[in-house]
Amino acid sequence: MEASTYIKRGASGRIAIKMGSRPERIMKWTVTTLVILTVIAFLLFDYTGLDLTTAIPETLDNLKTMFLEPALSHFTWGQAFYQLGVTLGLAFLSTILGGIIAFFLALLAAANLSKSWISKTVRIMVAFIRAVPTVLWVLIFAIAAGLGSEAAILGMLFHSIAYLVKAFSEAFEEVNQGIIEALRATGANWWHIVIHAVLPSTFTYLLSWTFLRFEINFSMAVAMGAAAGAGGIGFELFMASGFYFDLREVGMITYMVLIFAIILEVFSTKMKDRYFPAAK
Amino acid sequence: MSEKTIKANRKWHTIFFVFLIAVMTFASITITDFNIFHGIATLPKAIAWIFSNMWISQETWERLPTILEKLLETVLVSIAATTTGTVVAFFLSLMGSKTTGRSTIWGAFARFVASVSRNIPVVAWALILLLSFGQNSMTGYLALFVGSVGFLTRAFIESIDEASQSAVEALRATGATYFQIVFKAVVPQCLPQLISWILFMIETNIRSATLVGILTGTGIGYTFDLYYKTLNYNAVALVTFSIILAVIVIELMSNYIRKVII
């Protein structure tokens, strides 16, 4: 970032002085705009039925009950683990299927491996899919496929594909162009190039990204259970809080999700350190 | 190890890995009761359904002002949650970072808070808060806020650790106070990264806000849910398209800002 002085003369011949470089000005603008929007947001919030003096102590009290006295009352431990397994299964299936499909699409989307019009088409499609929140995909599929694991997996799959295509194709584009050209010069066909040059040099990246997506899909799967009724631990969470008002059970479920998410995160951080220590 | 054994080892690793994935896939299919053929078969049906039913009809356009108002609410909630979350996350990350942290206990505390608030899904926060805050924007805002603090703290700690080692040392040598170090060395160096993370968080929050909205009955998520449940698919399409548009516009804007500042 370099600071520079812009000298421009106005209509009257005066020198207008603007300090700072373009990045600095843009940053200032961004921060100012965000602060203004935040203030507007707080002014426009719909505070219907909200009484902070009771809501805050009540929440703290609820949190205390939840986290200090967790217990299961509407289902057994076996069922709880089964439901956690369902959530994991949803996450796993959508990640693995998404990873496989995304791999092929990313080959089409990478600018150095594909024709430019194919690459652009795939990218635009993917950007469009990514812009729709996952829960909307799940709900839209739920109408056509019926509510259940199929809708949840298809919906999460769509998003996983969109996310992974972007990550994968960026990794493919970083493959040394020299290697590809060298192979091409020997008369290797497209599949040879993919299997012998692109895949070996990007495999660890692909693995890390896929695992990162698994982490995201796990929390997504919890959310789908709650919002779209796709089953699993998220649905139990929704029932416990929305129907039974059983805070202890909410606490227990939250703990289970939390512990599992932390295990996944530790694992994924380890993988990241191992496979891209020199990232950035 | 000779080349041969390495190759043999790698082969075994690959076979083991593929086998493990196959087993896990099978287990997942069993436990979730996912019929893969049915799944594939419904896909074209679903897409055909989307194309035949999700058209925006003339009378839906009349709902546009309401939808836009709700969309604006959602966008504002996401931005507010991100910016206020940034303030908290900034102080937590100062405590948690290796270069600016002063005591290990507070550092561990900051990391713990970040880890817990990040790993409890936003949905769980929404449901927990809904119990006492009721159906209003505040619930959605707080749920997003907690998640943002967790995520941003982790991201900020990484940026601060990466950027500021030498500058902090230099300022410390001149006898600068803690806050002088923070505001003259750490902040200017990390600011582009921090802003980039904030923009990313806003994008993420807008997507989660829809989800949170469905649960807490606020914003565009609630509008979607309402039309969805009353089978007004034309309006559902309009809501979906307006969300897509908002997300894409914000993504393009933040991509532009990121390109200029980094």
Side-chain angles (χ1 to χ4, degrees), chain B residues 192-240:
Chain B
Q193 257 86 31
L194 301 194
I195 290 182
S196 163
W197 280 121
I198 294 170
L199 294 172
F200 176 76
M201 196 71 231
I202 291 176
E203 289 168 33
T204 316
N205 273 348
I206 287 180
R207 261 168 250 186
S208 333
T210 317
L211 178 70
V212 170
I214 291 180
L215 288 173
T216 60
T218 55
I220 194 80
Y222 181 62
T223 317
F224 180 90
D225 207 31
L226 208 63
Y227 293 138
Y228 181 81
K229 282 187 179 144
T230 51
L231 311 181
N232 188 346
Y233 296 128
N234 299 321
V236 165
L238 187 60
V239 174
T240 312

Short mmCIF file of all heavy atoms in Angstrom, two decimals, chain B residues 192-240:
data_model
loop_
_atom_site.label_atom_id
_atom_site.label_comp_id
_atom_site.label_asym_id
_atom_site.label_seq_id
_atom_site.Cartn_x
_atom_site.Cartn_y
_atom_site.Cartn_z
N PRO B 192 -6.63 -4.43 6.17
CA PRO B 192 -7.20 -5.03 4.95
C PRO B 192 -7.71 -6.45 5.18
O PRO B 192 -8.81 -6.78 4.75
CB PRO B 192 -6.00 -5.03 3.99
CG PRO B 192 -5.10 -3.98 4.48
CD PRO B 192 -5.27 -3.94 5.96
N GLN B 193 -6.94 -7.25 5.89
CA GLN B 193 -7.39 -8.62 6.17
C GLN B 193 -8.67 -8.61 6.99
O GLN B 193 -9.60 -9.35 6.72
CB GLN B 193 -6.32 -9.36 6.99
CG GLN B 193 -5.51 -10.34 6.19
CD GLN B 193 -4.35 -9.64 5.53
OE1 GLN B 193 -3.85 -8.68 6.11
NE2 GLN B 193 -3.98 -10.08 4.37
N LEU B 194 -8.67 -7.76 8.02
CA LEU B 194 -9.85 -7.72 8.89
C LEU B 194 -11.08 -7.35 8.09
O LEU B 194 -12.13 -7.99 8.20
CB LEU B 194 -9.66 -6.72 10.05
CG LEU B 194 -8.48 -6.95 11.00
CD1 LEU B 194 -8.64 -6.10 12.25
CD2 LEU B 194 -8.32 -8.39 11.39
N ILE B 195 -10.96 -6.32 7.24
CA ILE B 195 -12.12 -5.90 6.45
C ILE B 195 -12.56 -7.02 5.52
O ILE B 195 -13.76 -7.30 5.37
CB ILE B 195 -11.79 -4.61 5.66
CG1 ILE B 195 -11.69 -3.46 6.64
CG2 ILE B 195 -12.88 -4.32 4.63
CD1 ILE B 195 -11.42 -2.14 6.00
N SER B 196 -11.59 -7.71 4.97
CA SER B 196 -11.92 -8.82 4.08
C SER B 196 -12.71 -9.90 4.83
O SER B 196 -13.70 -10.43 4.32
CB SER B 196 -10.63 -9.36 3.50
OG SER B 196 -10.81 -10.61 2.96
N TRP B 197 -12.31 -10.18 6.05
CA TRP B 197 -13.05 -11.17 6.85
C TRP B 197 -14.44 -10.66 7.19
O TRP B 197 -15.40 -11.42 7.19
CB TRP B 197 -12.30 -11.49 8.16
CG TRP B 197 -11.19 -12.46 7.98
CD1 TRP B 197 -9.87 -12.25 8.26
CD2 TRP B 197 -11.27 -13.80 7.49
NE1 TRP B 197 -9.13 -13.37 7.97
CE2 TRP B 197 -9.97 -14.34 7.51
CE3 TRP B 197 -12.32 -14.61 7.04
CZ2 TRP B 197 -9.69 -15.63 7.09
CZ3 TRP B 197 -12.04 -15.90 6.62
CH2 TRP B 197 -10.74 -16.39 6.65
N ILE B 198 -14.53 -9.35 7.50
CA ILE B 198 -15.84 -8.80 7.84
C ILE B 198 -16.80 -8.95 6.66
O ILE B 198 -17.95 -9.37 6.82
CB ILE B 198 -15.70 -7.30 8.24
CG1 ILE B 198 -14.90 -7.17 9.52
CG2 ILE B 198 -17.07 -6.66 8.41
CD1 ILE B 198 -14.51 -5.75 9.84
N LEU B 199 -16.29 -8.63 5.46
CA LEU B 199 -17.14 -8.74 4.28
C LEU B 199 -17.58 -10.18 4.06
O LEU B 199 -18.75 -10.46 3.75
CB LEU B 199 -16.39 -8.24 3.04
CG LEU B 199 -16.05 -6.76 3.05
CD1 LEU B 199 -15.15 -6.42 1.89
CD2 LEU B 199 -17.32 -5.94 3.00
N PHE B 200 -16.64 -11.10 4.27
CA PHE B 200 -16.98 -12.51 4.12
C PHE B 200 -18.07 -12.91 5.12
O PHE B 200 -19.01 -13.62 4.80
CB PHE B 200 -15.72 -13.36 4.35
CG PHE B 200 -15.97 -14.82 4.33
CD1 PHE B 200 -16.17 -15.46 3.12
CD2 PHE B 200 -16.04 -15.57 5.49
CE1 PHE B 200 -16.41 -16.82 3.07
CE2 PHE B 200 -16.29 -16.92 5.45
CZ PHE B 200 -16.48 -17.54 4.24
N MET B 201 -17.93 -12.39 6.34
CA MET B 201 -18.91 -12.71 7.39
C MET B 201 -20.30 -12.18 7.02
O MET B 201 -21.30 -12.84 7.28
CB MET B 201 -18.44 -12.09 8.70
CG MET B 201 -19.11 -12.64 9.92
SD MET B 201 -18.58 -14.32 10.25
CE MET B 201 -20.15 -15.11 10.42
N ILE B 202 -20.34 -10.97 6.41
CA ILE B 202 -21.64 -10.42 6.03
C ILE B 202 -22.30 -11.34 5.01
O ILE B 202 -23.49 -11.66 5.11
CB ILE B 202 -21.47 -8.99 5.47
CG1 ILE B 202 -21.06 -8.05 6.59
CG2 ILE B 202 -22.78 -8.49 4.86
CD1 ILE B 202 -20.78 -6.64 6.15
N GLU B 203 -21.52 -11.79 4.02
CA GLU B 203 -22.07 -12.70 3.02
C GLU B 203 -22.64 -13.95 3.68
O GLU B 203 -23.75 -14.39 3.39
CB GLU B 203 -20.99 -13.14 2.03
CG GLU B 203 -20.53 -12.08 1.08
CD GLU B 203 -19.26 -12.52 0.36
OE1 GLU B 203 -19.10 -13.71 0.11
OE2 GLU B 203 -18.42 -11.66 0.08
N THR B 204 -21.82 -14.53 4.58
CA THR B 204 -22.27 -15.76 5.25
C THR B 204 -23.52 -15.50 6.06
O THR B 204 -24.47 -16.30 6.06
CB THR B 204 -21.17 -16.27 6.19
OG1 THR B 204 -19.94 -16.17 5.52
CG2 THR B 204 -21.42 -17.69 6.62
N ASN B 205 -23.53 -14.37 6.77
CA ASN B 205 -24.65 -14.07 7.64
C ASN B 205 -25.95 -13.88 6.87
O ASN B 205 -27.02 -14.24 7.37
CB ASN B 205 -24.37 -12.83 8.48
CG ASN B 205 -23.64 -13.19 9.76
OD1 ASN B 205 -23.55 -14.35 10.12
ND2 ASN B 205 -23.13 -12.20 10.44
N ILE B 206 -25.87 -13.32 5.67
CA ILE B 206 -27.11 -13.13 4.91
C ILE B 206 -27.72 -14.48 4.58
O ILE B 206 -28.93 -14.68 4.66
CB ILE B 206 -26.84 -12.30 3.65
CG1 ILE B 206 -26.62 -10.86 4.09
CG2 ILE B 206 -28.02 -12.36 2.70
CD1 ILE B 206 -26.34 -9.93 3.00
N ARG B 207 -26.84 -15.44 4.24
CA ARG B 207 -27.36 -16.77 3.97
C ARG B 207 -27.94 -17.40 5.23
O ARG B 207 -29.03 -17.98 5.19
CB ARG B 207 -26.26 -17.65 3.41
CG ARG B 207 -26.35 -17.72 1.93
CD ARG B 207 -25.13 -18.33 1.38
NE ARG B 207 -24.41 -17.27 0.70
CZ ARG B 207 -23.34 -17.45 -0.01
NH1 ARG B 207 -22.82 -18.62 -0.09
NH2 ARG B 207 -22.78 -16.44 -0.63
N SER B 208 -27.22 -17.30 6.35
CA SER B 208 -27.75 -17.91 7.57
C SER B 208 -28.97 -17.17 8.06
O SER B 208 -29.83 -17.75 8.72
CB SER B 208 -26.73 -17.93 8.70
OG SER B 208 -25.44 -17.95 8.25
N ALA B 209 -29.04 -15.87 7.76
CA ALA B 209 -30.18 -15.08 8.24
C ALA B 209 -31.49 -15.64 7.71
O ALA B 209 -32.51 -15.62 8.40
CB ALA B 209 -30.03 -13.62 7.84
N THR B 210 -31.46 -16.16 6.48
CA THR B 210 -32.67 -16.75 5.92
C THR B 210 -33.11 -17.94 6.77
O THR B 210 -34.28 -18.09 7.10
CB THR B 210 -32.38 -17.24 4.50
OG1 THR B 210 -31.61 -16.26 3.84
CG2 THR B 210 -33.64 -17.50 3.75
N LEU B 211 -32.13 -18.76 7.11
CA LEU B 211 -32.39 -19.94 7.92
C LEU B 211 -32.90 -19.56 9.31
O LEU B 211 -33.92 -20.07 9.78
CB LEU B 211 -31.07 -20.71 8.03
CG LEU B 211 -31.03 -21.95 8.86
CD1 LEU B 211 -31.82 -23.02 8.18
CD2 LEU B 211 -29.58 -22.40 9.01
N VAL B 212 -32.19 -18.62 9.93
CA VAL B 212 -32.58 -18.16 11.25
C VAL B 212 -33.98 -17.53 11.18
O VAL B 212 -34.80 -17.72 12.08
CB VAL B 212 -31.55 -17.15 11.80
CG1 VAL B 212 -32.04 -16.47 13.05
CG2 VAL B 212 -30.24 -17.84 12.07
N GLY B 213 -34.23 -16.82 10.09
CA GLY B 213 -35.52 -16.18 9.91
C GLY B 213 -36.67 -17.19 9.88
O GLY B 213 -37.74 -16.94 10.43
N ILE B 214 -36.45 -18.34 9.24
CA ILE B 214 -37.48 -19.37 9.20
C ILE B 214 -37.81 -19.83 10.61
O ILE B 214 -38.97 -20.05 10.96
CB ILE B 214 -37.01 -20.54 8.32
CG1 ILE B 214 -36.96 -20.10 6.86
CG2 ILE B 214 -37.93 -21.75 8.47
CD1 ILE B 214 -36.51 -21.17 5.90
N LEU B 215 -36.78 -19.96 11.43
CA LEU B 215 -36.99 -20.46 12.79
C LEU B 215 -37.55 -19.41 13.73
O LEU B 215 -38.38 -19.70 14.58
CB LEU B 215 -35.67 -20.99 13.36
CG LEU B 215 -35.20 -22.29 12.76
CD1 LEU B 215 -33.82 -22.62 13.28
CD2 LEU B 215 -36.15 -23.42 13.09
N THR B 216 -37.06 -18.17 13.59
CA THR B 216 -37.46 -17.17 14.57
C THR B 216 -38.60 -16.30 14.07
O THR B 216 -39.05 -15.41 14.78
CB THR B 216 -36.27 -16.25 14.93
OG1 THR B 216 -35.85 -15.61 13.74
CG2 THR B 216 -35.13 -17.02 15.53
N GLY B 217 -39.06 -16.55 12.87
CA GLY B 217 -40.19 -15.78 12.36
C GLY B 217 -39.86 -14.33 12.10
O GLY B 217 -40.64 -13.44 12.41
N THR B 218 -38.68 -14.08 11.51
CA THR B 218 -38.33 -12.70 11.19
C THR B 218 -37.77 -12.63 9.79
O THR B 218 -37.31 -13.63 9.24
CB THR B 218 -37.25 -12.15 12.16
OG1 THR B 218 -36.15 -13.06 12.13
CG2 THR B 218 -37.77 -12.02 13.55
N GLY B 219 -37.79 -11.43 9.24
CA GLY B 219 -37.10 -11.17 7.99
C GLY B 219 -37.60 -11.98 6.81
O GLY B 219 -38.72 -12.49 6.80
N ILE B 220 -36.72 -12.12 5.82
CA ILE B 220 -37.08 -12.74 4.57
C ILE B 220 -37.35 -14.24 4.74
O ILE B 220 -38.16 -14.82 4.02
CB ILE B 220 -35.98 -12.48 3.52
CG1 ILE B 220 -36.46 -12.80 2.10
CG2 ILE B 220 -34.72 -13.26 3.80
CD1 ILE B 220 -37.29 -11.73 1.50
N GLY B 221 -36.69 -14.84 5.73
CA GLY B 221 -36.91 -16.27 5.99
C GLY B 221 -38.35 -16.55 6.35
O GLY B 221 -38.97 -17.52 5.89
N TYR B 222 -38.90 -15.67 7.16
CA TYR B 222 -40.30 -15.84 7.57
C TYR B 222 -41.23 -15.66 6.39
O TYR B 222 -42.19 -16.41 6.21
CB TYR B 222 -40.61 -14.84 8.68
CG TYR B 222 -42.02 -14.94 9.19
CD1 TYR B 222 -42.46 -16.12 9.79
CD2 TYR B 222 -42.90 -13.87 9.07
CE1 TYR B 222 -43.75 -16.22 10.26
CE2 TYR B 222 -44.18 -13.97 9.55
CZ TYR B 222 -44.61 -15.14 10.14
OH TYR B 222 -45.88 -15.25 10.60
N THR B 223 -40.93 -14.65 5.57
CA THR B 223 -41.74 -14.41 4.37
C THR B 223 -41.74 -15.64 3.49
O THR B 223 -42.79 -16.08 3.00
CB THR B 223 -41.16 -13.22 3.57
OG1 THR B 223 -40.82 -12.20 4.49
CG2 THR B 223 -42.13 -12.70 2.57
N PHE B 224 -40.55 -16.21 3.31
CA PHE B 224 -40.43 -17.42 2.50
C PHE B 224 -41.30 -18.53 3.09
O PHE B 224 -42.09 -19.16 2.39
CB PHE B 224 -38.97 -17.87 2.47
CG PHE B 224 -38.75 -19.13 1.66
CD1 PHE B 224 -38.46 -19.06 0.32
CD2 PHE B 224 -38.84 -20.37 2.26
CE1 PHE B 224 -38.26 -20.21 -0.43
CE2 PHE B 224 -38.65 -21.53 1.52
CZ PHE B 224 -38.36 -21.44 0.18
N ASP B 225 -41.13 -18.75 4.39
CA ASP B 225 -41.84 -19.82 5.07
C ASP B 225 -43.36 -19.65 4.94
O ASP B 225 -44.10 -20.60 4.72
CB ASP B 225 -41.44 -19.79 6.55
CG ASP B 225 -41.56 -21.16 7.18
OD1 ASP B 225 -41.37 -22.15 6.44
OD2 ASP B 225 -41.84 -21.23 8.39
N LEU B 226 -43.78 -18.40 5.05
CA LEU B 226 -45.21 -18.10 4.99
C LEU B 226 -45.79 -18.48 3.63
O LEU B 226 -46.78 -19.20 3.53
CB LEU B 226 -45.38 -16.60 5.22
CG LEU B 226 -46.69 -16.13 5.83
CD1 LEU B 226 -46.82 -16.71 7.23
CD2 LEU B 226 -46.71 -14.61 5.88
N TYR B 227 -45.13 -18.03 2.57
CA TYR B 227 -45.60 -18.36 1.22
C TYR B 227 -45.46 -19.84 0.95
O TYR B 227 -46.30 -20.45 0.28
CB TYR B 227 -44.82 -17.55 0.16
CG TYR B 227 -45.10 -16.08 0.21
CD1 TYR B 227 -44.09 -15.15 0.07
CD2 TYR B 227 -46.40 -15.62 0.40
CE1 TYR B 227 -44.35 -13.80 0.11
CE2 TYR B 227 -46.67 -14.26 0.44
CZ TYR B 227 -45.64 -13.36 0.30
OH TYR B 227 -45.90 -12.03 0.34
N TYR B 228 -44.38 -20.42 1.46
CA TYR B 228 -44.13 -21.85 1.25
C TYR B 228 -45.25 -22.68 1.85
O TYR B 228 -45.76 -23.61 1.26
CB TYR B 228 -42.79 -22.20 1.90
CG TYR B 228 -42.37 -23.63 1.76
CD1 TYR B 228 -41.77 -24.08 0.59
CD2 TYR B 228 -42.55 -24.54 2.80
CE1 TYR B 228 -41.36 -25.38 0.45
CE2 TYR B 228 -42.14 -25.85 2.67
CZ TYR B 228 -41.56 -26.27 1.49
OH TYR B 228 -41.17 -27.57 1.37
N LYS B 229 -45.64 -22.30 3.06
CA LYS B 229 -46.67 -23.08 3.75
C LYS B 229 -48.06 -22.86 3.19
O LYS B 229 -48.92 -23.72 3.32
CB LYS B 229 -46.64 -22.79 5.25
CG LYS B 229 -45.49 -23.52 5.90
CD LYS B 229 -45.48 -23.40 7.40
CE LYS B 229 -44.33 -24.19 7.97
NZ LYS B 229 -43.74 -23.53 9.12
N THR B 230 -48.27 -21.70 2.57
CA THR B 230 -49.58 -21.47 1.96
C THR B 230 -49.57 -21.87 0.49
O THR B 230 -50.49 -21.53 -0.25
CB THR B 230 -49.99 -19.99 2.08
OG1 THR B 230 -48.90 -19.19 1.60
CG2 THR B 230 -50.30 -19.60 3.50
N LEU B 231 -48.50 -22.60 0.08
CA LEU B 231 -48.38 -23.15 -1.28
C LEU B 231 -48.41 -22.09 -2.37
O LEU B 231 -48.80 -22.37 -3.49
CB LEU B 231 -49.49 -24.18 -1.54
CG LEU B 231 -49.70 -25.24 -0.48
CD1 LEU B 231 -50.81 -26.19 -0.93
CD2 LEU B 231 -48.44 -26.01 -0.19
N ASN B 232 -48.02 -20.88 -2.01
CA ASN B 232 -47.98 -19.82 -3.01
C ASN B 232 -46.59 -19.84 -3.66
O ASN B 232 -45.72 -19.04 -3.34
CB ASN B 232 -48.25 -18.48 -2.32
CG ASN B 232 -48.42 -17.37 -3.31
OD1 ASN B 232 -48.08 -17.52 -4.48
ND2 ASN B 232 -48.92 -16.25 -2.85
N TYR B 233 -46.40 -20.79 -4.60
CA TYR B 233 -45.06 -21.01 -5.11
C TYR B 233 -44.55 -19.87 -5.99
O TYR B 233 -43.36 -19.69 -6.15
CB TYR B 233 -44.98 -22.35 -5.84
CG TYR B 233 -45.21 -23.50 -4.92
CD1 TYR B 233 -46.14 -24.48 -5.20
CD2 TYR B 233 -44.50 -23.58 -3.72
CE1 TYR B 233 -46.36 -25.53 -4.33
CE2 TYR B 233 -44.71 -24.62 -2.84
CZ TYR B 233 -45.64 -25.59 -3.15
OH TYR B 233 -45.86 -26.61 -2.27
N ASN B 234 -45.48 -19.12 -6.58
CA ASN B 234 -45.03 -17.98 -7.38
C ASN B 234 -44.34 -16.96 -6.49
O ASN B 234 -43.30 -16.42 -6.84
CB ASN B 234 -46.21 -17.33 -8.08
CG ASN B 234 -46.89 -18.29 -9.01
OD1 ASN B 234 -46.21 -19.06 -9.68
ND2 ASN B 234 -48.20 -18.28 -9.04
N ALA B 235 -44.93 -16.74 -5.32
CA ALA B 235 -44.31 -15.80 -4.40
C ALA B 235 -43.01 -16.37 -3.86
O ALA B 235 -42.04 -15.64 -3.66
CB ALA B 235 -45.26 -15.48 -3.25
N VAL B 236 -42.99 -17.70 -3.64
CA VAL B 236 -41.76 -18.34 -3.19
C VAL B 236 -40.64 -18.06 -4.19
O VAL B 236 -39.51 -17.72 -3.82
CB VAL B 236 -41.96 -19.86 -3.01
CG1 VAL B 236 -40.63 -20.59 -2.90
CG2 VAL B 236 -42.81 -20.14 -1.79
N ALA B 237 -41.00 -18.17 -5.47
CA ALA B 237 -39.99 -17.92 -6.51
C ALA B 237 -39.47 -16.49 -6.43
O ALA B 237 -38.27 -16.25 -6.51
CB ALA B 237 -40.58 -18.19 -7.89
N LEU B 238 -40.39 -15.56 -6.24
CA LEU B 238 -39.99 -14.16 -6.18
C LEU B 238 -39.06 -13.92 -4.99
O LEU B 238 -38.04 -13.23 -5.11
CB LEU B 238 -41.22 -13.26 -6.10
CG LEU B 238 -40.95 -11.77 -6.20
CD1 LEU B 238 -40.28 -11.43 -7.52
CD2 LEU B 238 -42.22 -10.97 -6.04
N VAL B 239 -39.43 -14.51 -3.84
CA VAL B 239 -38.59 -14.36 -2.65
C VAL B 239 -37.21 -14.94 -2.92
O VAL B 239 -36.18 -14.31 -2.64
CB VAL B 239 -39.23 -15.05 -1.43
CG1 VAL B 239 -38.28 -15.03 -0.25
CG2 VAL B 239 -40.53 -14.38 -1.05
N THR B 240 -37.18 -16.15 -3.50
CA THR B 240 -35.89 -16.79 -3.78
C THR B 240 -35.04 -15.93 -4.70
O THR B 240 -33.86 -15.71 -4.44
CB THR B 240 -36.12 -18.17 -4.42
OG1 THR B 240 -37.09 -18.87 -3.65
CG2 THR B 240 -34.84 -18.97 -4.46
#
